Amino acid sequence: MGGYVATGTNNEKVFQFTQFFYDAYRTWGVYYAAAYRDLRAYAGDNWTNLEKSKLEKQNRMILELNKIRRVVNLYSGYERENRTATVCTPVEGSDVQTADQFSDVMYYVYDKANADYVISEAFEHSLKTGLAIVGIYMDYSNDKVNGDIKLYWKPFNALMLDPYFTKRDLSDCDQASTRDLLSKEQIKSMLPWVDPSVIENLPTGIRDNKYQYLGIYRQYNSTYIAKNLCTYDQYWKRINKEQKYLVDMETGVTEEWNGDKAEEKELKELLKQTPRLQLITSHKRTVELNIIVSGQLLYTGPDPSGLDTYPFIPVLLYHEPLIDTFELKIQGIVRSVRDAQRQYNRRHSQIIDLMESIINTGWITKNGAVLDPNMLMQAGQGKQIVVNEGYDVNADVREISPPNIPPGYLQYQDIIDKNIMEIPGASDELLGLSSVGDSQVSGKLAEVRASNGLKGNRGIFDNLEQSKKFLGKLIIECIQKNYSPGKIERIIGEEPSEQFFSGQFEEYDCAIKQAVKTATQREAYYYQLLQLVALGAPIPWDKILEVAPLQGNTKLHEILAEQAEQAQQAAAAEQEANEVKKMLDMAAINQSTALAEERRARVLSDIGLAKERESEAVQNHAKAFLDNAKTIAQIEDIPRKRLIEVLQLAAEMRQQEKQETEVELQKDMKRAEALKQG
């Protein structure tokens, strides 16, 4: 652990810092000089002192028609208009809840730290000079326990990097430093563990030659200007230190182990039961921070953010690590148009001088020919020139003929103006205009033209997105190491998942990406819902309006609640009507059932009556047969042949009656069956 370092001790760290700075400056010096000229060119200073003196001697105007600012503002404005949000997305099969929680916390951190503005300022500075950094630090002003993550940016002239780095994430950068000029009260708040009396006794003013291209250094007598300020240098250096790791020998999953000796002894006893887990000792690559104030070391140890790497990411515009010349290795847009701007100023100054020379080219006179030579310098209307006696006006006083302007002189000026836009890759198409001048076009066509105009410089925006991705990883690690579960729950409104504080989650289970930028996470959720609705998802409108970023949302919710209540009342009335209808339908069914039962009983009664009739018919046949028998007995005197005929006639009569009765019975049975089916 690091901490307070007594004044006058451990000067080795200060010596290492001084040696690093001057060794690096020998390589970086040419870049700083070129970048400083780029910055002044953007601000509108493209004439050298020698050129200014020459123009003043010739009584000519020193014109500065700044065209560079327009080009820089064009790219800077596009970035500000199309900002993206850094979110955490789960990889296949990983924890979606944890990724969503990280995205919510990152929205909170970026909003509270004003990250969008900080990143845009750093990007705009890189457009001018080619290099800036965006960093993070912990602010304990409001939260005394966890602190709040804040962001800052620094220009090229306030930092020094290892000149041999080649990667944009600084993974191969061994040393780095930054400088601030702060008051003693500011330093006391930033180093609360240092005795205030030590800080109070520190010397003020600038007492070394480091960071010579800081703005204040270029002023006259910078020591007097900074007489109440102290140099606050932060010097990072990569080191290797011993670290214990808990390793799963089968899966290779590794976690740092930072327990004390008693906990380590207990852990080793537990590991005897699980051979696949082992506690090993290895080396960890981290950074050591040294804070040097007014040349005295006040702190040495790990970075207060808890990170094991630099707490900042460079924003590089054009970076060519294979070039050995540093004024060409890192460049901004200004570098490529600086000469065109100088030529534009020079040519325009010549044009104005030429135009003025046409108005008054001068005179050729003999000595003493004019009464007052100042008359020859008159301009405008009503000029009066008095010639002395004895001199010929036509021969002794003659006006110099003005030179002819070359036809292509003014046209060349337009070419230079166009080059200032086209050399860095900008064009009229980037503004949505056509090269042929047709400004009356649709908005979609203008958008397509602007998009096509940016393709030539898409790489600089891709580099910015890469830097924002690296920055997002730093912020996730800083959240895990500084924010407590209670603070996370307060931010997102729910308990963090079990994987939230796992050091392996960011490495294996999530990806840092850029998403559409919205003011809040709620708006992002709203736009995602709209996209799902456009795809046909059955999402109710009340759920969409709950998160809609609308003015008067409370009034809208009251209207929706009133409509919902009316709809509920209408549904209740409809349900009641349906119940009444069901009751009426049931009564009609019961009535129909009773009628059918009555008909069935009537049919059964008819069937019984038919059977009774059949029985009576049988009895009648029997009686008739008996009567016939009696008749036969009484007419014994009828001849035998005649008797047989009478008996046959009686049998036919019985058969006919039986058939008629059967027909009637079949009709009754069919009628009964029809009633049952009805």
Side-chain angles (χ1 to χ4, degrees):
M1 286 293 294
Y4 167 66
V5 179
T7 304
T9 64
N10 207 347
N11 289 326
E12 181 182 355
K13 301 291 184 181
V14 179
F15 175 76
Q16 289 178 0
F17 165 60
T18 302
Q19 186 177 19
F20 155 71
F21 183 88
Y22 288 123
D23 287 346
Y25 186 77
R26 291 187 184 96
T27 306
W28 278 101
V30 290
Y31 161 75
Y32 281 108
Y36 183 73
R37 290 196 299 270
D38 293 339
L39 194 60
R40 294 190 66 88
Y42 167 80
D45 183 16
N46 286 278
W47 296 97
T48 65
N49 292 331
L50 181 61
E51 290 171 337
K52 291 179 181 179
S53 300
K54 184 177 180 181
L55 291 174
E56 289 175 353
K57 290 180 181 179
Q58 296 176 357
N59 198 24
R60 292 169 56 186
M61 296 178 62
I62 304 175
L63 296 176
E64 187 65 60
L65 305 178
N66 195 340
K67 295 284 187 175
I68 297 178
R69 189 186 300 270
R70 175 182 62 171
V71 179
V72 172
N73 291 348
L74 182 63
Y75 286 99
S76 175
Y78 181 84
E79 186 275 330
R80 295 173 189 268
E81 187 71 19
N82 297 273
R83 286 169 174 162
T84 57
T86 304
V87 297
C88 180
T89 59
V91 298
E92 186 175 357
S94 60
D95 189 354
V96 177
Q97 180 188 8
T98 304
D100 290 342
Q101 289 180 348
F102 268 119
S103 296
D104 293 343
V105 177
M106 291 178 70
Y107 261 96
Y108 172 84
V109 171
Y110 275 62
D111 181 62
K112 294 299 181 181
N114 200 16
D116 292 330
Y117 178 79
V118 173
I119 294 173
S120 295
E121 287 292 299
F123 176 71
E124 182 174 323
H125 185 78
S126 70
L127 289 170
K128 305 170 189 174
T129 65
L131 173 63
I133 63 170
V134 178
I136 61 177
Y137 68 97
M138 298 304 300
D139 180 17
Y140 292 90
S141 301
N142 298 322
D143 191 337
K144 306 299 181 181
V145 178
N146 300 280
D148 295 308
I149 299 175
K150 294 298 180 66
L151 273 71
Y152 66 87
W153 78 276
K154 291 185 183 297
F156 81 100
N157 49 13
L159 60 95
M160 178 64 69
L161 301 176
D162 182 355
Y164 304 109
F165 86 94
T166 60
K167 298 180 180 179
R168 292 178 177 268
D169 61 351
L170 299 181
S171 58
D172 59 349
C173 180
D174 287 335
Q175 301 177 81
S177 66
T178 62
R179 167 165 286 190
D180 295 281
L181 295 174
L182 304 176
S183 67
K184 292 183 178 181
E185 294 302 319
Q186 290 175 308
I187 297 173
K188 291 177 183 178
S189 64
M190 297 177 68
L191 304 176
W193 58 85
V194 178
D195 187 356
S197 62
V198 175
I199 299 176
E200 198 63 39
N201 293 327
L202 292 174
T204 58
I206 302 172
R207 300 178 178 273
D208 56 24
N209 292 322
K210 300 183 181 71
Y211 303 97
Q212 295 182 5
Y213 285 95
L214 272 174
I216 194 171
Y217 285 79
R218 315 303 294 182
Q219 300 180 30
Y220 175 75
N221 195 359
S222 59
T223 303
Y224 175 79
I225 294 174
K227 66 177 182 178
N228 296 322
L229 302 177
C230 298
T231 56
Y232 185 88
D233 296 317
Q234 297 182 84
Y235 168 53
W236 291 270
K237 183 178 181 181
R238 288 194 182 273
I239 60 173
N240 291 323
K241 69 175 185 178
E242 282 192 357
Q243 176 66 47
K244 295 185 181 298
Y245 295 94
L246 188 61
V247 182
D248 187 332
M249 304 305 294
E250 294 184 6
T251 63
V253 176
T254 305
E255 288 284 352
E256 293 184 9
W257 170 258
N258 297 308
D260 54 24
K261 292 184 178 180
E263 293 173 338
E264 182 178 345
K265 183 178 180 181
E266 183 180 356
L267 176 63
K268 288 182 178 179
E269 292 295 328
L270 295 174
L271 292 180
K272 292 179 180 179
Q273 304 175 6
T274 55
R276 61 179 290 180
L277 297 179
Q278 294 186 14
L279 186 64
I280 65 173
T281 301
S282 182
H283 286 85
K284 174 183 178 181
R285 189 162 175 79
T286 183
V287 294
E288 178 188 73
L289 171 63
N290 301 280
I291 299 178
I292 303 170
V293 182
S294 296
Q296 298 185 23
L297 181 68
L298 297 186
Y299 172 84
T300 181
D303 191 90
S305 64
L307 300 175
D308 292 320
T309 185
Y310 300 111
F312 55 83
I313 291 295
V315 180
L316 296 164
L317 202 74
Y318 298 120
H319 180 218
E320 299 294 342
L322 300 180
I323 296 180
D324 57 344
T325 309
F326 262 71
E327 67 265 28
L328 301 177
K329 185 187 289 287
I330 298 176
Q331 298 184 35
I333 282 182
V334 175
R335 185 76 55 84
S336 61
V337 296
R338 195 175 65 191
D339 290 341
Q341 176 68 65
R342 283 175 46 79
Q343 184 69 9
Y344 184 85
N345 291 340
R346 182 183 180 89
R347 183 66 61 183
H348 210 84
S349 178
Q350 292 173 349
I351 290 175
I352 291 180
D353 184 64
L354 183 60
M355 299 298 292
E356 290 180 347
S357 66
I358 293 176
I359 298 175
N360 187 4
T361 56
W363 299 79
I364 299 176
T365 65
K366 287 185 178 181
N367 187 20
V370 181
L371 179 64
D372 184 2
N374 290 328
M375 293 181 179
L376 301 177
M377 305 301 295
Q378 298 179 42
Q381 302 292 331
K383 293 187 294 184
Q384 183 180 8
I385 300 175
V386 179
V387 179
N388 291 324
E389 294 181 359
Y391 290 92
D392 187 355
V393 175
N394 296 324
D396 300 332
V397 180
R398 179 165 54 89
E399 187 176 7
I400 300 175
S401 300
N404 295 324
I405 300 177
Y409 206 85
L410 298 177
Q411 185 179 1
Y412 181 67
Q413 184 73 350
D414 294 335
I415 295 175
I416 298 175
D417 186 14
K418 188 176 181 180
N419 285 340
I420 294 177
M421 287 289 290
E422 291 186 350
I423 288 174
S427 62
D428 291 335
E429 279 75 12
L430 193 58
L431 300 174
L433 303 176
S434 172
S435 57
V436 297
D438 56 330
S439 59
Q440 300 297 326
V441 297
S442 66
K444 184 62 177 178
L445 180 57
E447 182 180 354
V448 171
R449 284 176 175 173
S451 177
N452 292 335
L454 281 172
K455 288 180 180 179
N457 267 324
R458 185 64 184 90
I460 64 176
F461 295 101
D462 188 59
N463 294 336
L464 176 63
E465 291 181 3
Q466 188 76 357
S467 297
K468 293 171 72 174
K469 178 181 178 180
F470 294 146
L471 180 64
K473 291 183 177 180
L474 294 183
I475 291 178
I476 285 181
E477 184 178 352
C478 194
I479 290 171
Q480 290 179 320
K481 293 188 175 181
N482 292 279
Y483 284 6
S484 65
K487 180 160 187 171
I488 299 298
E489 182 178 359
R490 182 69 179 86
I491 293 174
I492 63 179
E494 62 183 19
E495 293 184 2
S497 65
E498 295 181 358
Q499 298 292 325
F500 191 91
F501 293 98
S502 172
Q504 302 294 323
F505 183 79
E506 187 273 328
E507 183 70 23
Y508 298 105
D509 299 323
C510 75
I512 307 301
K513 295 184 178 181
Q514 301 302 308
V516 177
K517 174 64 182 175
T518 57
T520 62
Q521 178 70 12
R522 178 172 176 166
E523 289 188 15
Y525 177 61
Y526 167 71
Y527 289 121
Q528 290 171 358
L529 288 181
L530 292 185
Q531 291 176 355
L532 291 176
V533 170
L535 294 175
I539 302 175
W541 276 106
D542 57 340
K543 299 300 181 183
I544 297 176
L545 294 177
E546 283 180 2
V547 295
L550 301 175
Q551 283 290 95
N553 215 349
T554 303
K555 185 65 176 178
L556 180 60
H557 282 303
E558 293 177 357
I559 296 174
L560 291 176
E562 183 179 351
Q563 291 179 350
E565 184 178 357
Q566 294 176 355
Q568 186 176 3
Q569 292 176 356
E574 184 179 358
Q575 183 178 2
E576 184 178 356
N578 290 335
E579 291 293 335
V580 173
K581 186 175 181 301
K582 288 180 180 179
M583 293 175 63
L584 293 176
D585 292 342
M586 185 59 68
I589 292 173
N590 292 336
Q591 183 179 1
S592 299
T593 303
L595 181 60
E597 290 293 335
E598 181 181 354
R599 291 178 177 177
R600 182 172 178 273
R602 187 180 302 166
V603 169
L604 294 177
S605 177
D606 292 342
I607 294 173
L609 179 61
K611 290 182 177 180
E612 181 180 353
R613 290 176 179 175
E614 182 181 4
S615 177
E616 290 179 355
V618 173
Q619 293 177 1
N620 291 334
H621 289 309
K623 183 179 180 182
F625 183 76
L626 180 58
D627 293 339
N628 290 335
K630 291 180 178 180
T631 303
I632 293 172
Q634 292 175 358
I635 56 174
E636 291 178 353
D637 54 345
I638 298 176
R640 186 175 183 86
K641 183 178 179 180
R642 181 60 178 169
L643 178 61
I644 293 174
E645 292 177 358
V646 172
L647 291 175
Q648 288 179 349
L649 179 60
E652 291 175 359
M653 292 174 63
R654 286 196 305 271
Q655 184 66 28
Q656 184 178 357
E657 290 177 358
K658 183 177 180 180
Q659 291 178 354
E660 292 177 356
T661 302
E662 185 66 28
V663 170
E664 291 295 331
L665 182 60
Q666 291 295 330
K667 290 181 179 180
D668 291 340
M669 294 296 290
K670 290 181 180 180
R671 191 181 304 112
E673 186 67 27
L675 290 174
K676 289 181 180 180
Q677 295 178 357

